[in-house]
Amino acid sequence: MRLLLINPRLPESFWSFKWAVNSILPGKRAVNPPLGLATIAALTPETWEVVIVDENIETVPLAPNTDIVGIGGMGVQLSRQRELLAYYRARGHHVVVGGAAASLEPERYLGLADTVVAGEAEYTWPRFCRDIEAGHPQALYQETGTVDLATSPVPRFDLLDLSKYSSATLQYSRGCPFTCEFCDIIVMFGRKPRTKTSDQIRRELDSLRQLGARSVFFVDDNMIGHKRRAKALLQFLAHYQQNHRSPFSFGTEVSLDLAQDDELLALFRAAHFGWVFVGIESSDPNSLKETGKTQNLREDPLVAVRRIYSHGIDVLAGFIVGFDNDSPATFEQQRHFITEAGIQSAMVGLLAALPRTALHARMAREGRLRVSEDGFDNTSLRSNIVHPSIDDEQMVTLYRTLYRRLLSDQGISQRIRNKSRYLTDPVYGGGYHLGEGIGILGRLLLRGILPGGLSRIHHFLRSLFPFRPAVFPLVISDWIVGLSMRAFARDHLWYPAEDTPDENGILDQVQAAIGNHLRRDEMWVSQTTSFAAPELTITLGAGLSRWFFPKAARPLCRLLDRSRARLTLKAREMPEGYLPQFERLLSRLAGHGDRVFVELGGALRGRMTIDLSRFNVVLAPVPGEAGQ
Ligand code: SF4
């Protein structure tokens, strides 16, 4: 049996840190590898040939030599997951879907995939493997019991190219004891935390160490859900680090009650955890009460964050706006808190109701659910729930303003200074060799700080003082994070209004520069009156002039630079000699790849040598290609 496992392309988000990955970090393509697929691979019979393709770092194979295609993914990957399922199914492969979205709503997939694996896969996946080998796979494998994590195998890390990610991943526990109303974790994994043994973690770390990983993210949703066991694990990790001369820099997700346990905090430091991600959600106690996040009410969250800092551990945090209790004043209150707390990675989302959560049920009861939205992307500027007092337009304006102020040069710098006062002896030391560190600093200065002009240079310098060498790597890291989030916000939150005129005539310039090299009906612009988001489709047919590619690159780059244009390049067929020029054009456009759609005819598939994962590869089925 041959099995191809695919992690679908993730949409751009604050989490993708695309600017940092593309412009600053050497050789990286994405933040985290698909750990779930590596676990599935480890659960697959040894006699099977297994390949993992992560569409976020490599080209998805358009004509794979495989029997089964397995596609994972979270809610935000839903639309790409659907396209991949349809494409590979039309080609005659047996397609299996799993992951968070399929686990929450398996019924959504029954017509799209041949098999749905819903819930944790440790017991169901081996059953599917046995069934398909015997020739009678079922349509649905649903885990309804409790998986003992002690039976979970060491993931096949060897099938991932870890060098392409900024951090490797590992999972210690599943489940969380708390009852936040919006949370889907307790729906999927339950409220009784289950954990792996220290011996399992040792084997996983040994494997990651052999593969050269240095930064490891424990992807638990709450690593301290069972505090006694968490302490035992941290003691084990501290010994492991000592015995191997601290090979790893760790990070994880925890609940804010970590701050009230000094022993736990000391153990996190001893085990070399440089940062923790915490769901703070709101600094307004009434919003926290409304959503059932009572663990954050035990003390002032600002005091809690600063106590974590005092142990040398950085805090990344999630925030939510749009609770029923929230008013327009809440947005400024949130900004003020985030600034005071000095949290650079502050992920603020609009409250959204995920399927099967308590919030979803309440919104349905109250008739406040928007069925047209699924709620999976909470930074999409449109939630799937109706707020009782803030209308949509005002919500979006307030949200944009909040991020505009947070991500200003002054906002980034102020948070660094506020954090540095409390985080005096950070665990985080950069984790890079000297040469890599100098390279990163040089690129940050050249590509991030200097292009911001005198104002940014001024705020950058202010953030360095008082200068303390121990804090310097964190200052650099925070600028990279801040500027990355700003790049995303600029492209996705602050883009020009719909009716922005094309004052410089850039669309006309595109038309003039390339129109003559195409047949009349091969280029199409949907909106020439608005410059905000024109849709440009160019079909590269047989009659294409050879001068098209050199002429097209510059005006198309300018168009993508200065607007929210979406460009679709359809290449059905092409003389052999044109292919390198086409690839050169794509290389020039790669920086805007999230807005470039590439559709290839059957004759071109497999002939492209360029990394297409930087673009949106349109998976149009080619007639007559189905069947293997
Ligand atoms: S603390 Fe986090 S994981 Fe636990 S229920 Fe609340 S949101 Fe979910």
Side-chain angles (χ1 to χ4, degrees):
M1 279 285 184
R2 290 158 305 176
L3 168 67
L4 168 66
L5 294 169
I6 298 178
N7 183 34
R9 185 182 163 88
L10 282 154
E12 286 298 310
S13 74
F14 283 119
W15 286 113
S16 45
F17 294 106
K18 184 182 141 200
W19 180 80
V21 164
N22 287 349
S23 309
I24 306 292
L25 303 176
K28 306 297 179 197
R29 286 296 317 279
V31 178
N32 298 132
L35 180 65
L37 295 185
T39 306
I40 290 288
L43 291 162
T44 303
E46 280 176 14
T47 51
W48 289 27
E49 272 177 41
V50 187
V51 174
I52 297 178
V53 170
D54 181 358
E55 205 185 357
N56 299 288
I57 66 160
E58 59 201 316
T59 307
V60 69
L62 298 174
N65 181 19
T66 189
D67 304 300
I68 305 165
V69 178
I71 298 172
M74 302 176 290
V76 290
Q77 291 161 292
L78 191 66
S79 73
R80 185 57 173 174
Q81 203 181 33
R82 280 201 190 120
E83 287 168 14
L84 290 162
L85 287 168
Y87 178 78
Y88 289 111
R89 204 173 190 208
R91 292 185 59 85
H93 302 286
H94 184 98
V95 296
V96 195
V97 68
S103 298
L104 282 173
E105 292 186 302
E107 60 284 356
R108 257 187 200 244
Y109 292 88
L110 288 178
L112 293 170
D114 297 302
T115 297
V116 182
V117 178
E120 295 167 77
E122 272 81 357
Y123 302 157
T124 50
W125 181 259
R127 261 188 17 236
F128 161 73
C129 294
R130 283 195 298 274
D131 290 351
I132 199 161
E133 277 184 328
H136 47 71
Q138 296 171 29
L140 174 65
Y141 293 80
Q142 170 102 55
E143 181 54 77
T144 51
T146 307
V147 167
D148 179 359
L149 275 193
T151 63
S152 195
V154 176
R156 290 285 308 275
F157 296 119
D158 58 304
L159 296 179
L160 305 169
D161 183 355
L162 294 177
S163 67
K164 296 262 172 56
Y165 302 92
S166 50
S167 193
T169 46
L170 182 155
Q171 188 180 44
Y172 163 64
S173 69
R174 289 180 201 156
C176 175
F178 297 115
T179 52
C180 307
E181 188 189 28
F182 56 83
C183 180
D184 60 334
I185 297 304
I186 44 181
V187 176
M188 284 190 289
F189 299 134
R191 293 191 47 219
K192 192 170 169 200
R194 289 163 289 134
T195 56
K196 290 180 181 169
T197 63
S198 294
D199 195 49
Q200 280 173 289
I201 298 299
R202 181 186 53 72
R203 280 185 276 129
E204 296 195 22
L205 289 175
D206 284 349
S207 173
L208 288 173
R209 199 160 45 84
Q210 277 158 17
L211 292 166
R214 282 180 279 169
S215 168
V216 175
F217 170 26
F218 279 77
V219 296
D220 306 30
D221 293 291
N222 183 4
M223 194 180 182
I224 59 167
H226 192 299
K227 287 211 180 101
R228 187 172 46 77
R229 280 192 229 153
K231 285 177 185 175
L233 173 81
L234 290 165
Q235 276 160 357
F236 160 78
L237 290 176
H239 286 135
Y240 187 96
Q241 295 273 48
Q242 270 169 13
N243 293 342
H244 297 91
R245 287 191 250 156
S246 295
F248 295 117
S249 155
F250 292 133
T252 191
E253 300 185 359
V254 292
S255 44
L256 193 57
D257 56 328
L258 165 69
Q260 286 114 42
D261 192 324
D262 281 329
E263 186 191 354
L264 251 185
L265 281 166
L267 284 168
F268 266 105
R269 183 182 175 90
H272 217 82
F273 276 75
W275 58 268
V276 290
F277 180 93
V278 186
I280 293 177
E281 324 306 2
S282 180
S283 54
D284 184 331
N286 290 326
S287 297
L288 292 171
K289 270 184 216 148
E290 172 194 318
T291 200
K293 199 138 194 154
T294 51
Q295 69 273 24
N296 285 16
L297 288 165
R298 295 176 191 173
E299 67 177 330
D300 180 349
L302 190 58
V303 174
V305 169
R306 287 175 176 167
R307 193 171 309 111
I308 298 173
Y309 285 158
S310 72
H311 286 259
I313 300 165
D314 193 9
V315 175
L316 289 58
F319 295 87
I320 294 175
V321 281
F323 292 116
D324 289 0
N325 172 68
D326 288 355
S327 70
T330 306
F331 289 75
E332 177 53 20
Q333 194 181 323
Q334 293 278 51
R335 187 200 66 78
H336 181 73
F337 175 85
I338 292 165
T339 304
E340 281 295 295
I343 298 170
Q344 198 63 249
S345 294
M347 305 300 183
V348 189
L350 298 178
L351 182 68
L354 292 170
R356 293 177 56 205
T357 58
L359 178 66
H360 195 276
R362 178 163 72 86
M363 291 297 111
R365 268 197 318 276
E366 295 176 9
R368 291 168 53 194
L369 267 185
R370 278 195 189 103
V371 281
S372 57
E373 307 286 326
D374 57 24
F376 283 123
D377 183 358
N378 63 356
T379 55
S380 75
L381 292 182
R382 194 167 159 82
S383 167
N384 66 341
I385 61 182
V386 178
H387 193 270
S389 62
I390 308 175
D391 69 34
D392 288 352
E393 202 177 319
Q394 191 182 18
M395 186 80 84
V396 169
T397 306
L398 290 163
Y399 184 67
R400 281 183 170 148
T401 308
L402 167 66
Y403 261 125
R404 222 180 252 287
R405 295 196 64 190
L406 278 178
L407 299 175
S408 66
D409 296 333
Q410 185 181 5
I412 295 170
S413 175
Q414 182 71 51
R415 278 178 285 155
I416 292 173
R417 280 179 287 137
N418 288 350
K419 172 162 43 185
S420 300
R421 281 191 205 110
Y422 298 89
L423 210 166
T424 49
D425 183 18
V427 173
Y428 179 78
Y432 292 97
H433 299 307
L434 183 65
E436 288 173 332
I438 291 172
I440 288 172
L441 177 61
R443 283 188 290 275
L444 172 66
L445 292 175
L446 280 176
R447 297 174 185 175
I449 303 299
L450 297 182
L454 282 179
S455 157
R456 191 170 300 161
I457 294 169
H458 165 74
H459 287 295
F460 176 71
L461 292 175
R462 279 196 79 197
S463 69
L464 293 175
F465 290 100
F467 185 76
R468 278 177 284 126
V471 184
F472 187 66
L474 217 112
V475 174
I476 299 307
S477 163
D478 272 10
W479 271 102
I480 293 171
V481 166
L483 292 178
S484 244
M485 292 179 70
R486 185 187 165 106
F488 170 78
R490 185 198 58 214
D491 283 357
H492 296 267
L493 298 185
W494 307 332
Y495 47 82
E498 290 297 314
D499 57 355
T500 306
D502 182 9
E503 278 171 356
N504 296 318
I506 291 180
L507 281 168
D508 288 343
Q509 290 171 26
V510 171
Q511 186 81 36
I514 64 180
N516 291 342
H517 304 284
L518 294 162
R519 284 196 307 219
R520 232 167 226 278
D521 56 352
E522 290 186 327
M523 183 167 75
W524 178 69
V525 181
S526 71
Q527 294 172 307
T528 47
T529 50
S530 162
F531 187 53
E535 301 261 348
L536 191 70
T537 300
I538 300 178
T539 305
L540 308 176
L544 185 68
S545 149
R546 62 195 293 262
W547 297 109
F548 167 78
F549 296 104
K551 283 271 186 189
R554 202 147 170 242
L556 288 177
C557 282
R558 279 187 79 200
L559 178 71
L560 291 164
D561 264 341
R562 298 187 185 189
S563 73
R564 287 287 309 148
R566 280 162 58 109
L567 170 65
T568 301
L569 292 171
K570 294 185 177 181
R572 300 259 180 258
E573 53 182 300
M574 196 174 288
E576 190 67 37
Y578 286 17
L579 214 52
Q581 295 196 46
F582 181 36
E583 292 188 340
R584 266 200 292 280
L585 171 66
L586 287 174
S587 302
R588 297 270 307 266
L589 302 176
H592 302 288
D594 60 311
R595 287 184 281 129
V596 178
F597 294 73
V598 180
E599 191 177 320
L600 298 174
L604 292 176
R605 292 180 188 173
R607 283 168 60 202
M608 305 286 288
T609 55
I610 188 171
D611 178 2
L612 290 172
S613 68
R614 294 184 184 274
F615 307 92
N616 297 281
V617 176
V618 181
L619 294 169
V622 176
E625 278 194 346
Q628 296 299 297

